[in-house]
Amino acid sequence: MDDEKEPPQDNPYIKLAKRGAETWNRWARTIITNERVDALNLSADKKRVIQSIPPFSNQQLLLLAKELEIKDLESFSSEINFSEQIINFSCSDFLFFAEVSFDNATFTRTTSFDGSTFTENVTFKDSTFKEFTNFTNVTFIEQAYFKGTAFNGYACFEDTTFESAVFLGATFIEDASFNNTTFNGHATFQDTTFTKSAYFVNATVFQSSNFKGATFNEHAIFVHTIFTQNAIFENVTFTGRANFEGA
């Protein structure tokens, strides 16, 4: 059994996130205005959902800050920093309203970002997901950066929308699924290792995709994948079956 430490209690974002989506999102709505929501590249329905979240009043915010022992809670509006933290909770349906860093973080349990929205760049550089990772139905409005990230359990990115996705040198130990995923910008999987099966069924890449130097040790399933521009597969290793039917 892994030695699991509690996240450092001086990180205000850890304290807030552990309170769950309702608290996190109400705090976020005290910072992100309706005008800013309107300007986001989101569907009208998703904008309405965000705008329906009630922000904290000033008094509620002061009480929350006192309860969590966080100073200047109302001023946290730039980068959301989870770097080098131990994460043992999920972030489903979270609204991340600023740039977010999970660099060198360790996710010790099953982790879910299901239904979450990232309005700015997010980076998971050199982070480690030790168990099942769920990024289903996530919206990345700006770049999602997974350089050197290790996924030790099954990784699910189904029905997710990326603007630009970078998985440079990432490692997937178990199956990885990008079924029905949309990449509005570039998709980079250069030097990525898929130890087991990789699924890109019905995925769509609207700009260039780069799999140069990638390794697929089992099945590589690109059935009905749509590459609208250049798809680079130079020096790729396919050890198992590669299926590009309908791609």
Side-chain angles (χ1 to χ4, degrees):
M1 182 176 179
D2 291 336
D3 292 328
E4 185 176 317
K5 299 180 294 183
E6 277 293 310
Q9 293 302 300
D10 59 349
N11 185 308
Y13 304 107
I14 291 286
K15 294 178 180 181
L16 278 166
K18 291 183 76 172
R19 294 293 295 266
E22 181 179 357
T23 296
W24 179 278
N25 292 342
R26 291 192 66 188
W27 165 66
R29 283 289 285 128
T30 65
I31 298 169
I32 184 169
T33 64
N34 285 338
E35 291 75 18
R36 185 174 165 194
V37 174
D38 282 332
L40 296 174
N41 185 21
L42 293 171
S43 68
D45 285 344
K46 196 144 193 174
K47 290 178 182 179
R48 279 193 292 270
V49 169
I50 293 173
Q51 290 173 339
S52 71
I53 299 170
F56 285 123
S57 66
N58 289 337
Q59 183 178 6
Q60 289 171 328
L61 200 62
L62 289 171
L63 289 173
L64 179 63
K66 183 177 180 180
E67 181 181 347
L68 297 180
E69 298 180 344
I70 298 174
K71 294 181 179 179
D72 302 321
L73 179 58
E74 69 282 355
S75 68
F76 296 156
S77 59
S78 53
E79 182 185 44
I80 299 172
N81 189 2
F82 292 98
S83 296
E84 300 183 351
Q85 301 298 301
I86 294 187
I87 312 293
N88 58 9
F89 52 87
S90 287
C91 299
S92 295
D93 297 312
F94 273 41
L95 171 62
F96 293 96
F97 60 88
E99 291 195 358
V100 187
S101 175
F102 287 95
D103 289 351
N104 296 291
T106 301
F107 297 82
T108 60
R109 301 178 182 176
T110 293
T111 302
S112 180
F113 286 88
D114 179 31
S116 289
T117 300
F118 293 87
T119 67
E120 304 289 343
N121 295 334
V122 56
T123 174
F124 292 86
K125 181 176 179 289
D126 296 324
S127 60
T128 300
F129 293 87
K130 291 193 172 183
E131 297 186 11
F132 169 50
T133 305
N134 184 7
F135 277 91
T136 303
N137 197 32
V138 175
T139 301
F140 296 98
I141 296 178
E142 299 292 344
Q143 185 181 76
Y145 195 69
F146 290 88
K147 181 181 178 182
T149 304
F151 298 91
N152 293 347
Y154 171 48
C156 185
F157 287 85
E158 295 181 356
D159 299 300
T160 283
T161 300
F162 290 96
E163 182 58 31
S164 174
V166 177
F167 288 86
L168 181 66
T171 302
F172 294 88
I173 301 300
E174 300 293 336
D175 288 355
S177 179
F178 292 84
N179 293 343
N180 304 306
T181 292
T182 300
F183 300 88
N184 288 321
H186 302 289
T188 301
F189 290 87
Q190 183 173 341
D191 297 323
T192 297
T193 298
F194 297 94
T195 305
K196 292 195 174 179
S197 295
Y199 299 90
F200 290 83
V201 178
N202 292 318
T204 301
V205 185
F206 283 103
Q207 294 190 31
S208 64
S209 52
N210 183 1
F211 289 85
K212 183 177 181 180
T215 299
F216 295 88
N217 285 332
E218 291 194 3
H219 303 313
I221 310 300
F222 290 87
V223 173
H224 298 299
T225 303
I226 299 174
F227 299 102
T228 61
Q229 295 190 24
N230 292 340
I232 301 171
F233 284 87
E234 294 178 10
N235 301 316
V236 171
T237 300
F238 294 104
T239 302
R241 179 172 63 99
N243 187 347
F244 286 82
E245 180 182 353

